Amino acid sequence: MPMFPGDVGPVMLAPPPPLPFFPIAAVQSGLGFMHMSAPPEIVTARSKLNSDAPSFSPRSPAASAAAAADEVEVRDVWAANLEEEMRSIGALLPTYPVVSMDTEFPGTVHDVATPRHLRTPRESYAVVKRNVDELHLLQLGLALSGPAGRCPVAWQFNFAGFDARRDPHSGSSVAMLAAHGVDFAALRRHGIDHGDFARAFGRSKLACGRLTWAAFSGSYDFAYLVKVLTGGRPLPSTLEGFMAKVSKIFGPAVLDVKHLAKFCGGGGGIRGGLEHVAAALGVHRAAGRAHNAGSDSLLTSDVLHAMVDRFFPNYGVLNHAGAIDGLVKCSNLYYKY
């Protein structure tokens, strides 16, 4: 995704307190989605996840050891091959139930004076909403993984609809994406219609509610995908409404790898952007280039599994389900929106 100002290199934080489990509701009758009601102000700890909840499926030790050497393809998806590739993804989900994603978009055009690290979750969401409501999704990357290891293909969905001659955007972000290989002319000519993607997504089983979804600094990633999957309508007016929508579409097992990084490392955490966190963990980019959604989703997947292998035994990573970086505050007793 486009870089945000203020990202820094790996910095070890003070040890954070443990976090509780998020509540998970039963499967919604007739819809096939697992959902969580609008988040309460305070959520107390739970001893375990509900029995009907999805579980995180880490790679086996053998698969983890082999991942660095495995070859992987980043496959471009355009309008012409959307249906075929969505069918392929649906068929692979039982084997690879962890979906890591990344988005690319034309920067941001709205901000506030308050520094990002001082904003409340609601202030942060208000900025995300203003930008996502006005701007266009350019790319979506999906990388699948699970006990069998890394899926040998990561997908890069290329979307139509953006034209820098008429649509709001950040000039520096668009220039950066072009320098990293994003072909804006090809997007206009061959890109996927957002409505076609939403319909194919619905048929693909990606919204079955029993997958684990992950992103790095995922507020914009989940926001753009929610916008596309709800017909381009404005995002919910409140943070609570947005989180309820995320849970309804993606299920309860939603992880943010940047948030998880705060709970990794001997000194209590790792700070910085995706590349910095990957370097701190010794994870290398398996394919493609930075600021391309397919490649970044793949790196997000590998970073997530490296974290789980080292820092989250017994699948404790699901203690952090529902916490999207920037959209949640935490203490030793609760998450608070």
Side-chain angles (χ1 to χ4, degrees), residues 49 55-57 98-101 211-219 221-222 243 246 250-260 300 304-305 307-308 312 315-325 335:
L49 291 170
S55 59
F56 183 78
S57 301
V98 181
V99 184
S100 298
M101 73 160 166
L211 304 173
T212 299
W213 282 82
F216 188 95
S217 192
S219 59
D221 300 308
F222 284 106
M243 295 302 296
V246 168
F250 303 101
V254 169
L255 301 172
D256 191 310
V257 179
K258 186 176 179 70
H259 177 81
L260 295 177
T300 297
L304 170 63
H305 283 281
M307 288 179 174
V308 171
F312 297 98
Y315 317 145
V317 69
L318 284 185
N319 283 8
H320 303 269
I324 297 178
D325 187 67
Y335 286 122

Side-chain angles (χ1 to χ4, degrees), residues 13-332:
L13 303 174
L19 290 176
F21 291 100
F22 251 66
I24 297 175
V27 177
Q28 186 174 9
S29 174
L31 289 181
F33 294 128
M34 295 189 68
H35 74 290
M36 182 173 66
S37 59
E41 192 69 7
I42 295 177
V43 180
T44 55
R46 294 170 61 98
S47 60
K48 61 186 179 65
L49 291 170
N50 291 354
S51 59
D52 61 353
S55 59
F56 183 78
S57 301
R59 299 185 295 207
S60 67
S64 296
D70 287 346
E71 292 188 3
V72 61
E73 171 195 357
V74 177
R75 182 173 298 170
D76 276 299
V77 184
W78 304 91
N81 62 334
L82 171 64
E83 293 292 340
E84 176 186 359
E85 296 304 330
M86 276 297 201
R87 286 194 296 270
S88 297
I89 290 172
L92 289 165
L93 292 176
T95 304
Y96 302 105
V98 181
V99 184
S100 298
M101 73 160 166
D102 180 78
T103 60
E104 300 297 337
F105 48 90
T108 58
V109 295
H110 299 291
D111 206 350
V112 293
T114 306
R116 293 181 71 225
H117 68 283
L118 296 178
R119 296 173 193 170
T120 68
R122 288 182 177 84
E123 289 171 336
S124 295
Y125 175 67
V127 175
V128 171
K129 174 177 165 56
R130 287 189 69 193
N131 282 292
V132 173
D133 283 352
E134 288 192 25
L135 302 177
H136 291 268
L137 177 63
L138 303 175
Q139 289 183 336
L140 168 70
L142 296 181
L144 308 182
S145 58
R150 174 204 292 151
C151 180
V153 176
W155 287 265
Q156 182 166 277
F157 295 85
N158 299 281
F159 291 97
F162 172 74
D163 190 333
R165 295 167 294 187
R166 66 167 189 266
D167 295 320
H169 64 280
S170 162
S172 60
S173 292
V174 167
M176 180 272 292
L177 291 172
H180 282 80
V182 176
D183 188 337
F184 288 92
L187 293 180
R188 290 194 299 272
R189 291 195 303 268
H190 307 297
I192 302 163
D193 175 80
H194 288 184
D196 291 342
F197 175 83
R199 288 183 285 273
F201 186 97
R203 294 190 293 268
S204 70
K205 303 178 184 177
L206 282 164
C208 70
R210 299 197 60 81
L211 304 173
T212 299
W213 282 82
F216 188 95
S217 192
S219 59
Y220 279 89
D221 300 308
F222 284 106
Y224 271 107
L225 200 44
V226 165
K227 177 183 177 180
V228 169
L229 295 177
T230 55
R233 291 191 292 272
L235 294 177
S237 58
T238 66
L239 173 57
E240 290 82 2
F242 173 71
M243 295 302 296
K245 184 71 71 174
V246 168
S247 184
K248 182 176 180 180
I249 293 174
F250 303 101
V254 169
L255 301 172
D256 191 310
V257 179
K258 186 176 179 70
H259 177 81
L260 295 177
K262 300 172 184 177
F263 304 89
C264 299
I270 308 170
R271 293 180 59 186
L274 177 59
E275 296 271 4
H276 293 299
V277 174
L281 294 169
V283 175
H284 302 285
R285 188 177 293 273
R289 301 174 64 183
H291 303 298
N292 285 254
S295 179
D296 281 354
S297 69
L298 184 61
L299 184 58
T300 297
S301 177
D302 287 345
V303 167
L304 170 63
H305 283 281
M307 288 179 174
V308 171
D309 290 345
R310 299 185 199 181
F311 302 111
F312 297 98
N314 303 318
Y315 317 145
V317 69
L318 284 185
N319 283 8
H320 303 269
I324 297 178
D325 187 67
L327 301 186
V328 65
K329 296 288 187 184
C330 58
S331 77
N332 60 333

